[in-house]
């Protein structure tokens, strides 16, 4: 299934994209694509529905983040071998984890606000995992069964805040609007091999990132297993899994967003995003 949330910010309704690409309303069957609604039993009930029996959504509503009420937004750093190489960083022996603020999540096509005093706002196309059943101490062989689906994430980052202001990476990762998610939450049965998906990102029409999930150092199943050793993963938690090369930090000289740029990105089978970056206006 390709699941979506649509409507005004904070008032999104659940929906489904049918095989013809039409948006169908799921409101009669689930209140939101959030929390317990993402457990496997709930998703099985939605999958049993005939999409053609669901009401068509008229017009072109705003598409919201594909998962609601996210309580834990976990990110993995330097998780692509080719991205680690462009930054000059060694291959991590274990996944590098940090948190993005859940309230930075916005829709896939919403504007992104460059924060006050930013000098180095950057882009990152990433594969995100949305947890379904979740749990603690999940075996790697059981990890895919704990996943509700996958989506596109732009892990927007302020590099000066992240690396030059002391402390943790979280400083440059959780600014308002720094977490576009969607357009779709795609269930695992729709994806033949999550570790072989093409990824791309463009700035003002220039292709700057071209990569694939096949160069991930730690794959999706391992990350769910690994993270669950340190914290409980609950339904609706999001894990964004790292970026391929081509980020602004990796250019020589580095390139960063100042405001006015349009960033478009996508992952094979998971849809596309497009954001206008705007300078902070108070």
């Amino acid at each position: 299934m390709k699941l979506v949330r649509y409507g005004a910010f904070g008032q999104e309704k659940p929906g489904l994209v049918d095989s013809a690409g039409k948006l169908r309303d799921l409101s009669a069957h689930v209140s939101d694509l959030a929390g317990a609604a993402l457990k496997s039993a709930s998703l099985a009930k939605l999958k049993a529905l005939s999409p053609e029996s669901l009401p068509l959504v008229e017009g072109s509503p705003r598409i919201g983040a594909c998962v609601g009420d996210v309580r834990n937004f976990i990110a993995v750093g330097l998780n692509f071998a080719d991205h680690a190489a462009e930054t000059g960083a060694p291959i991590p022996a274990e996944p590098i984890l940090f948190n993005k603020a859940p309230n930075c999540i916005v829709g896939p096509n919403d504007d992104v606000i460059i924060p006050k005093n930013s000098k180095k706002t950057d882009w990152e196309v990433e594969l995100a995992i949305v947890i379904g059943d979740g749990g603690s101490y999940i075996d790697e062989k059981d990890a895919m069964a704990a996943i509700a689906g996958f989506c596109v994430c732009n892990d927007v980052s302020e590099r000066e805040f992240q690396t030059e202001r002391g402390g943790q990476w979280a400083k440059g990762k959780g600014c308002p609007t720094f977490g576009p998610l969607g357009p779709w939450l795609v269930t695992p049965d729709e994806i033949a091999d999550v570790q072989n998906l093409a990824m791309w990102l463009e700035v003002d029409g220039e292709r700057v990132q071209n990569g694939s999930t096949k160069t991930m150092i730690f794959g999706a199943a391992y990350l769910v297993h690994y993270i669950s050793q340190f914290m409980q993963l609950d339904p609706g938690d999001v894990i964004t899994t790292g970026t391929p090369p081509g980020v602004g930090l990796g250019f020589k000289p580095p390139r960063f967003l100042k405001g006015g740029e349009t960033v478009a990105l996508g992952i094979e089978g998971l849809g596309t995003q497009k954001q206008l970056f705007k300078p902070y206006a108070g």
Side-chain angles (χ1 to χ4, degrees), residues 199-203 205-210 251:
M199 311 169 70
W200 60 272
L201 185 144
E202 296 176 349
V203 178
E206 177 189 356
R207 183 68 60 96
V208 291
Q209 286 192 274
N210 255 327
F251 278 77

Side-chain angles (χ1 to χ4, degrees), residues 7-8 11 62 69 81 85 90 97 102 106 114 118 138 151 160-161 169 175 186 204 208 210 212 234 265 281:
Q11 302 175 41
R62 168 188 172 270
D69 194 27
L97 305 181
V106 292
I114 294 175
S118 170
I138 299 168
C151 65
E160 188 204 23
F161 297 178
W169 286 10
C175 302
V186 181
D204 288 337
V208 291
N210 255 327
S212 170
D234 290 330
L265 57 149

Side-chain angles (χ1 to χ4, degrees), residues 18-260:
D18 67 19
S19 59
K22 296 179 179 179
L23 179 57
R24 304 276 181 168
D25 182 29
L26 280 172
S27 297
H29 301 278
V30 63
S31 61
D32 197 4
L33 299 172
L38 296 171
K39 289 186 175 183
S40 56
S42 176
L43 292 180
K45 291 178 181 178
L46 297 182
K47 188 175 181 180
L49 299 172
S50 168
E52 292 72 23
S53 70
L54 301 170
L56 275 171
V57 177
E58 301 296 335
S60 300
R62 168 188 172 270
I63 301 299
C66 57
V67 56
D69 194 27
V70 175
R71 299 184 181 186
N72 204 8
F73 193 2
I74 306 153
V76 185
L78 295 175
N79 192 36
F80 280 65
D82 38 7
H83 172 55
E86 80 169 340
T87 65
I91 299 296
E94 296 190 37
I96 297 169
L97 305 181
F98 59 93
N99 284 83
K100 289 176 73 77
N103 64 3
C104 81
I105 293 173
V106 292
N109 304 313
D110 290 344
D111 293 341
V112 173
I113 306 302
I114 294 175
K116 183 178 181 180
N117 300 321
S118 170
K119 298 176 181 177
K120 299 181 178 181
T121 293
D122 204 349
W123 57 83
E124 294 190 11
V125 59
E126 302 202 1
L127 169 76
I129 300 164
V130 178
I131 297 298
D133 291 340
S136 295
Y137 307 111
I138 299 168
D139 286 339
E140 187 174 359
K141 64 180 176 58
D142 300 324
M144 291 301 290
I147 295 172
F150 301 94
C151 65
V152 181
C153 174
N154 189 353
D155 177 20
V156 186
S157 307
E158 212 299 342
R159 302 300 190 186
E160 188 204 23
F161 297 178
Q162 177 187 351
T163 63
E164 300 174 36
R165 301 289 295 272
Q168 301 297 314
W169 286 10
K171 287 182 181 178
K173 295 287 191 171
C175 302
T177 72
F178 267 28
L181 289 181
W184 312 318
L185 174 61
V186 181
T187 51
D189 58 293
E190 296 270 334
I191 302 169
D193 183 1
V194 74
Q195 298 306 151
N196 190 23
L197 301 178
M199 311 169 70
W200 60 272
L201 185 144
E202 296 176 349
V203 178
D204 288 337
E206 177 189 356
R207 183 68 60 96
V208 291
Q209 286 192 274
N210 255 327
S212 170
T213 58
K214 66 186 179 184
T215 67
M216 287 171 64
I217 299 165
F218 306 104
Y222 182 80
L223 289 172
V224 171
H225 153 73
Y226 180 86
I227 294 168
S228 76
Q229 309 306 304
F230 305 100
M231 65 188 77
Q232 178 173 299
L233 292 172
D234 290 330
D237 284 353
V238 175
I239 303 168
T240 191
T241 62
T243 197
V247 299
L249 181 66
F251 278 77
K252 300 188 185 325
R255 293 171 52 181
F256 299 113
L257 301 167
K258 303 299 183 184

